[in-house]
Amino acid sequence: KSPLNYTGGKYKLLKQIIPKFPNKINTFVDVFGGGFNVGININANKVVYNDIVSPLADLVKVFRDNSKEDILEYIDLTIDKFQLSKTNKEAFYNFRDYYNNESTNPLDLFVLSCFSFNHDIRFNNNGQYNLGAGTNRSHYTKNIKNNLIRFKDKMDEMNISIINKSFDKINYDNDTFYYFDPPYLLTD
């Protein structure tokens, strides 16, 4: 299970979706990758993650390219530095402002989502993260941490490429399996 709670995630439907795919897949492209629940669970020689949302694609790259230890340490240090908790609403909004105006580390999006309402990820038309605090509910739980660890371990076993393009800008070929789960009508 992806540690990202992304709208439309298909984790609960994997047992229905994956049997519809071919038994042998050389290259699998998750065209609308989102939280990457489908692609991370595919048995293929190569898996390509794509999402048009740049901060999301950048975050998946960080998960792929950094050690589990470095990722976990950064998360813990950031939570401590900004005094984030499920009850500290002011700290959440300070961190959200920091993310929107100063942050250069894609992992900050993950930390922000952990303390956001329903752990969701959402941006406004100006590209600003705009979810509110998940006060008294959302925080960096042991379950989220365990999902992140398992997700990262699985990524390390796989050959994963990451792209950040609109679906109509991908170069399609006949030797690749493309999985399309487009966004809902009210999104881009």
Side-chain angles (χ1 to χ4, degrees):
K1 184 175 185 328
S2 172
L4 303 172
N5 187 29
Y6 201 70
T7 301
K10 297 295 184 265
Y11 180 74
K12 292 181 180 179
L13 298 175
L14 289 175
K15 289 181 181 177
Q16 295 170 328
I17 295 170
I18 292 177
K20 305 285 185 192
F21 296 166
N23 290 329
K24 291 187 180 183
I25 300 173
N26 186 41
T27 302
F28 177 91
V29 180
D30 199 342
V31 178
F32 299 97
F36 204 31
N37 275 306
V38 177
I40 197 73
N41 286 288
I42 295 301
N43 184 14
N45 292 328
K46 180 178 182 181
V47 173
V48 179
Y49 170 93
N50 179 65
D51 204 283
I52 194 170
V53 179
S54 297
L56 193 57
D58 291 343
L59 178 56
V60 174
K61 281 181 195 171
V62 167
F63 286 154
R64 181 196 64 190
D65 295 342
N66 291 275
S67 74
K68 177 174 45 182
E69 294 76 20
D70 286 348
I71 292 168
L72 295 173
E73 179 181 22
Y74 182 85
I75 292 167
D76 289 339
L77 290 173
T78 302
I79 291 169
D80 288 344
K81 177 181 176 181
F82 287 90
Q83 300 178 345
L84 296 168
S85 72
K86 71 178 182 178
T87 58
N88 192 342
K89 193 173 185 177
E90 182 180 345
F92 171 84
Y93 287 108
N94 288 337
F95 185 62
R96 188 179 75 176
D97 288 343
Y98 168 80
Y99 174 80
N100 283 329
N101 298 305
E102 299 177 49
S103 174
T104 58
N105 191 325
L107 273 174
D108 289 336
L109 174 60
F110 177 73
V111 175
L112 189 57
S113 73
C114 288
F115 293 90
S116 295
F117 182 74
N118 285 340
H119 303 281
D120 278 340
I121 296 173
R122 188 179 74 200
F123 300 92
N124 64 21
N125 290 336
N126 296 322
Q128 300 277 297
Y129 189 91
N130 67 347
L131 272 176
T135 308
N136 295 321
R137 290 188 63 189
S138 300
H139 61 288
Y140 182 55
T141 66
K142 188 172 185 170
N143 192 39
I144 292 171
K145 181 177 181 178
N146 289 336
N147 286 342
L148 174 57
I149 290 168
R150 286 191 297 273
F151 186 80
K152 173 59 180 156
D153 288 344
K154 179 72 174 180
M155 285 187 101
D156 289 346
E157 297 170 4
M158 298 173 71
N159 177 10
I160 298 173
S161 294
I162 298 166
I163 55 177
N164 175 223
K165 297 181 178 183
S166 176
F167 74 96
D168 56 349
K169 303 291 186 222
I170 294 174
N171 296 323
Y172 294 97
D173 64 62
N174 291 330
D175 298 326
T176 300
F177 184 83
Y178 298 91
Y179 172 69
F180 290 84
D181 177 19
Y184 300 101
L185 293 176
L186 298 177
T187 68
D188 288 338

